[in-house]
Structure formats: structure tokens, C-alpha cells
Amino acid sequence: MNKATLQEIETRFDNDVERFSNLETGQATTLDAVWNMELITDAISSLYPDAKHILDIGCGAGNYDVKLLQKLHSNPNVSLVDLSQPMLNRAKERVGALTNGQIHLIKGDFREAALEENQFDVVIATSVLHHLRDDEDWENTFKKLFRLLRTGGSLWIFDLIEQNNEHLQKLIFKEKYGEYLSKLRDEEYRDHVFDYIEHEDTPRSLIYQLNLLRQVGFKNIDVLHKNLCFASFMAFK
């Protein structure tokens, strides 16, 4: 199956702003979405209470930024990157109400975005990196994320992952996660979710990503949480 183009992905998200604006439910198909949002924003706010520059790639409607700004003592500048203009519009509206800092909107592919290097205290990348494609794409993206952070800054990731072992991938993704999706709605919905993951996404394993973070220069890499095929983790520059 040919993978979705960026235009196809953009169109899907353009039409789903309301669902991605819900702080209480998060994304229902994503395991522990709300719990991880609280965990990551608690950790960032405790490590960077006076953060000045925050970048959120694939920001959606800005849920992580809203949660984080409610916990910070500062009024940081926030840079928001997303393929979807309706998502960016909603994110700006929500984030702008919580900080007196500058809000920078960048519509388009993060990999092509002109962003200042050695600038950001925190980079947030949630439910976005699984759209990357081959190994070169993954490596170049992680290198760019590293360059954007100031020394002492950190990258925070929560995303869909796969298992290295084919049998475990079948058990954890197809069977266990499939069971979760069927209970969430029904088997038709399960198959719908599986179909668009197959069409749009190219996730990598947690081990692959942790090794790649180290390879491009990150240090003090830590896993925050893993539940079946979703994990949150972070790394310092």
C-alpha cells in the first residue's frame, strides 16, 4: 500500500479540530493520552518553571501547550507547527489566552520549517513522529530536533511505536490493541483505525528511537511510560 501524502494527512486533520481540542478525553484511540499529557507537562513545568521558548511540532489544537502553560510561572514564547491551518488557528486562540509571550504559527512540514537553532528550552513532539518514513528521514529529523534545542534543553515525545519482534508486534498491536479498539466501539472501528495507520504511518520501535536519540547527540535519555504500542520518553541536549 502506498503511504498517504502530506496533503491527505493535512485534509484529515483539517476536518477533526473539535476532537483534538478536548483536554478531558484526548485522542480516544491513543492509550493513556490524558495521563501522558499530565505526566509530560508536570515534568516539563518542574524542570523548566521559567521556560522562555517552547516549540510544539505537530501541535494539533494545542492541548499540550494549554496544559503546560497552566503550570508554568513564566510567559514563554510558543512556536506552533502543524500541517493543518484550522488546527493552528484553534491552537493560537487557546494558547494566546495563557501567555503574554509571542506566538509563532508555522503551517507546513516541520522538516522544512525555518526555525532558529540553539533556541528552545523545550521541544514537544506528540503523536507526530510516526508520520516519518525511512531511516534517513528519521535520522535527519532527530538531528534537526537536537540542533533546535539550547544546551540543557530537552525533547519530549509521546507516540505510537512498534515492537522489534514480529511475534510481539502481532500480539501487542494486532491482538491486544485491536481488542482495545473493538471494545472502544466495535470491530469495524478497529479495522478503520488499523487501515489509516497502515495508510498514513511508519512507526519505529522504542529501542530504535532511544538509540537514534543517543546517536545524534542527546544524553540523559529516559522512558516515562509505555502501554502496549504507545510510549512517552524524553532526552536532554
Side-chain angles (χ1 to χ4, degrees):
M1 176 187 289
N2 292 327
K3 291 292 183 179
T5 65
L6 288 179
Q7 181 61 53
E8 288 174 319
I9 295 171
E10 176 184 338
T11 299
R12 185 168 75 83
F13 285 108
D14 281 350
N15 296 322
D16 218 2
V17 174
E18 294 306 320
R19 181 168 69 91
F20 282 87
S21 301
N22 194 320
L23 285 174
E24 284 68 41
T25 61
Q27 297 166 247
T29 58
T30 304
L31 294 171
D32 300 335
V34 174
W35 194 89
N36 274 281
M37 182 166 57
E38 291 288 358
L39 175 63
I40 288 174
T41 53
D42 279 348
I44 293 172
S45 62
S46 65
L47 286 164
Y48 303 93
D50 300 310
K52 294 180 174 61
H53 299 281
I54 296 166
L55 169 64
D56 188 349
I57 64 169
C59 66
N63 282 355
Y64 269 75
D65 310 286
V66 169
K67 276 290 182 183
L68 179 57
L69 290 170
Q70 290 172 347
K71 300 173 182 180
L72 288 177
H73 301 148
S74 58
N75 280 287
N77 299 323
V78 182
S79 296
L80 302 166
V81 185
D82 203 272
L83 292 174
S84 168
Q85 189 64 50
M87 289 286 191
L88 284 171
N89 293 342
R90 179 61 61 84
K92 181 181 180 181
E93 173 189 319
R94 301 168 78 210
V95 172
L98 295 171
T99 181
N100 293 323
Q102 297 180 7
I103 301 173
H104 303 280
L105 299 185
I106 302 168
K107 182 191 180 304
D109 184 349
F110 155 76
R111 294 167 294 185
E112 307 299 327
L115 292 159
E116 187 174 348
E117 296 184 358
N118 303 302
Q119 170 76 4
F120 296 98
D121 301 295
V122 169
V123 175
I124 298 170
T126 58
S127 298
V128 62
L129 297 179
H130 61 263
H131 292 305
L132 298 175
R133 296 301 181 224
D134 58 20
D135 287 342
E136 182 181 10
D137 195 14
W138 278 88
E139 183 174 346
N140 288 338
T141 297
F142 274 41
K143 285 179 177 177
K144 180 170 185 174
L145 292 168
F146 183 81
R147 294 194 303 268
L148 293 174
L149 286 162
R150 67 165 178 81
T151 300
S154 52
L155 169 66
W156 301 78
I157 298 170
F158 173 51
D159 217 332
L160 173 72
I161 58 169
E162 64 176 13
Q163 299 299 132
N164 282 323
N165 181 277
E166 184 178 343
H167 178 80
L168 287 175
Q169 174 67 5
K170 181 176 182 295
L171 173 67
I172 289 174
F173 181 70
K174 284 294 187 180
E175 296 181 22
K176 298 295 186 182
Y177 182 51
E179 181 181 357
Y180 167 81
L181 292 173
S182 295
K183 289 180 178 178
L184 191 63
R185 196 169 299 178
D186 53 35
E187 291 183 357
E188 183 179 353
Y189 179 69
R190 175 202 64 194
D191 294 341
H192 166 72
V193 173
F194 280 165
D195 284 346
Y196 77 65
I197 289 175
E198 176 65 24
H199 184 48
E200 290 188 2
D201 306 337
T202 319
R204 290 290 190 270
S205 73
L206 179 57
I207 301 300
Y208 174 94
Q209 294 182 68
L210 297 177
N211 287 338
L212 186 56
L213 287 169
R214 187 172 294 106
Q215 178 183 319
V216 303
F218 283 98
K219 57 187 179 181
N220 295 333
I221 299 162
D222 236 321
V223 176
L224 304 173
H225 182 69
K226 180 182 183 296
N227 187 352
L228 297 183
C229 51
F230 292 90
S232 57
F233 47 106
M234 59 81 62
F236 291 94
K237 179 174 179 179

